[in-house]
């Protein structure tokens, strides 16, 4: 049982490198005896009945008590004990599952609060202790105890965690000088580069240095978080706050809009056949949702809860059958694109996973994290094939353009790094951009790379590691 952690706003600004896990240094005593717990709860309930005319006491009978208990489980337990995340093999989303319990046995025994594991673990001197980083008040513990003694009535609707969603059109305008580049997308012919400068999309012409931008696209109020260009070159998708806009690249006319989204669209990718757009989105503090949209009519085909928190990146295997996702919950998960079912999971990093890239032959997957590490995984066995250390901060983006062993990373210090799938540290550090890097795009031959920076600029590198061009943000 834990408190929800605040979700950051984007890969770099919201994720400071994380150190070792912090533990409560307070010395914990052994669990008190059952006799002590029984006496303690009885005294506690009597004291609270006279001292706290609480909301749960003012509602009618056991229904009010059950509602109070459900809200306590919802606010302090469900985030760690649910169908997607079952710490201690315990799921508290249904009464039958709570009665079944986890590794320690039943979580609760109706009519016997003192003998129920849940009341024991809530005590201040319990070890282990729940919630791990917070102590419930005496009033809250007593409410749960009385609810259990009264039979533990279950109200499923009161356990639902509702997101307070903000309508996209109610957002205010961003400051004119706020134009960080969180997302890039190269056209399939490598002649155009779409960049999100704040809430504006600029389509840069890459054929000649002095050529003006091909197009400037508006329609987002919040900063653009993700982009994807279809393999046939016909569509560009741009994702912001609860909104995806689809554009016809022939004349840059709007092709449609998706608004049935819970929060910022943190990642997007088209399937190889151009028929489906995959999005990742979540409301702050809520689970990350992956959804599949039919490009022809933007109807939602499938959707599922994928990670506990933000999904920072998506990658489709070269065979087109498997989707990999990187989560704030430190996991890399693999999904069947046809069914939306999980087929594999890797406990990948000690901090949020920020970036993914398949090797073009599909045999390996690279993952980068806020723990400053780059890891190489065997996609069939889940075996970690290599660990690359030496990045100064978040591994924000990865490009693996060729079937060779070389891949390129973008990190906090504005530099790109040339890594090898078997090397233990980056082989070369390329020229640094004058800003924090958020995203990376590479041509198919790997000869040109583009990085989006916090200062609103896009930097271009050649294969020697030199910055050859800077693409400016549009004039306000």
């Amino acid at each position: 049982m834990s408190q929800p952690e605040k979700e950051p706003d984007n890969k770099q600004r919201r994720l400071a490198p994380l150190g070792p896990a912090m533990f409560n240094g307070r010395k914990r005593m052994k669990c008190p005896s059952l006799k002590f717990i029984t006496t303690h709860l009885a005294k506690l309930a009597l004291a609270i009945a006279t001292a706290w005319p609480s909301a749960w006491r003012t509602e009618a009978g056991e229904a009010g008590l059950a509602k109070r208990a459900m809200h306590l489980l919802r606010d302090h337990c469900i985030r760690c004990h649910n169908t997607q995340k079952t710490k201690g093999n315990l799921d508290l989303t249904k009464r039958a599952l709570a009665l079944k319990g986890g590794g320690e046995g039943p979580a609760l025994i109706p009519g016997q609060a003192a003998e129920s594991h849940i009341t024991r673990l809530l005590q201040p001197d319990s070890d282990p202790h729940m919630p791990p980083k917070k102590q419930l008040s005496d009033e809250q513990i007593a409410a749960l105890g009385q609810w259990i003694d009264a039979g533990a009535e279950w109200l499923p609707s009161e356990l639902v965690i509702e997101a307070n969603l903000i309508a996209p059109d109610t957002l205010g305008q961003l400051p004119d000088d706020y134009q960080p580049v969180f997302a890039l997308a190269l056209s399939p012919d490598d002649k155009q580069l779409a960049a999100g400068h704040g809430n504006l999309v600029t389509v840069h012409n890459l054929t000649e240095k002095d050529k003006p931008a091909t197009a400037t696209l508006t329609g987002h109020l919040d900063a653009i978080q993700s982009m994807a260009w279809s393999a046939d070159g016909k569509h560009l998708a741009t994702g912001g706050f609860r909104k995806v806009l689809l554009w016809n690249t022939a004349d840059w006319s709007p092709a449609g809009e998706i608004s049935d989204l819970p929060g910022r669209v943190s990642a997007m990718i088209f399937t190889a056949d151009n028929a489906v757009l995959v999005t990742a989105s979540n409301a702050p503090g809520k689970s990350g949702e992956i959804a599949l949209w039919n490009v022809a009519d933007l109807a939602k085909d499938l959707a599922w809860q994928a990670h506990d928190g933000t999904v920072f990146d998506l990658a489709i295997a070269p065979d087109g059958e498997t989707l990999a996702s990187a989560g704030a919950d430190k996991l890399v998960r693999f999904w069947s694109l046809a069914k939306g079912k999980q087929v594999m999971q890797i406990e990948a990093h000690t901090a949020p996973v920020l970036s993914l890239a398949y090797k073009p032959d599909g045999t390996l997957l690279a993952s980068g994290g806020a723990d400053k590490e780059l890891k190489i995984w065997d996609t069939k066995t889940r075996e970690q094939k290599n660990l690359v250390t030496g990045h100064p901060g978040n591994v924000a983006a990865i490009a693996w353009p060729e079937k060779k062993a070389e891949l390129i990373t973008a990190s906090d210090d504005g530099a790109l790094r040339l890594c090898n799938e078997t090397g233990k540290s980056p082989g070369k550090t390329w020229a640094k951009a004058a800003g924090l890097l958020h995203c990376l795009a590479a041509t198919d031959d790997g000869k040109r790379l583009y990085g989006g920076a916090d200062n609103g600029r896009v930097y271009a590198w050649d294969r020697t590691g030199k910055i050859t061009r800077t693409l400016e943000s549009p004039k306000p």
Side-chain angles (χ1 to χ4, degrees), residues 34 95 98-100 104-120 144-152:
L34 295 183
R95 189 176 192 270
L99 296 179
K100 178 181 178 182
E104 299 294 327
L108 56 92
I109 304 173
Q112 302 180 56
E115 283 73 36
S116 296
H117 281 296
I118 193 168
T119 54
R120 299 186 194 185
L144 285 170
Q146 289 191 353
W147 167 68
I148 294 172
D149 280 335

Side-chain angles (χ1 to χ4, degrees), residues 166-220:
I166 301 171
D169 57 4
T170 63
L171 295 177
Q173 287 290 339
L174 291 176
D176 289 341
D177 59 351
Y178 182 70
Q179 296 186 331
V181 181
F182 297 140
L184 294 171
L186 265 171
S187 62
D189 61 7
D190 295 332
K191 293 181 179 181
Q192 298 180 90
L193 177 72
H197 297 274
N199 59 6
L200 297 176
V201 179
T202 300
V203 184
H204 297 279
N205 191 321
L206 301 179
T207 57
E208 297 179 33
K209 284 190 175 182
D210 296 329
K211 284 273 189 178
T214 303
T216 298
L217 310 175
T218 61
H220 293 282

Side-chain angles (χ1 to χ4, degrees), residues 270-281:
F270 282 97
T271 54
D273 62 3
N274 310 295
V276 174
L277 176 66
V278 186
T279 63
S281 178

Side-chain angles (χ1 to χ4, degrees), residues 32-50:
S33 66
L34 295 183
K35 181 178 180 181
F36 174 79
I37 294 175
T38 306
T39 304
H40 181 66
L41 284 175
K43 290 180 179 178
L44 209 55
L46 180 61
I48 289 168
T50 57

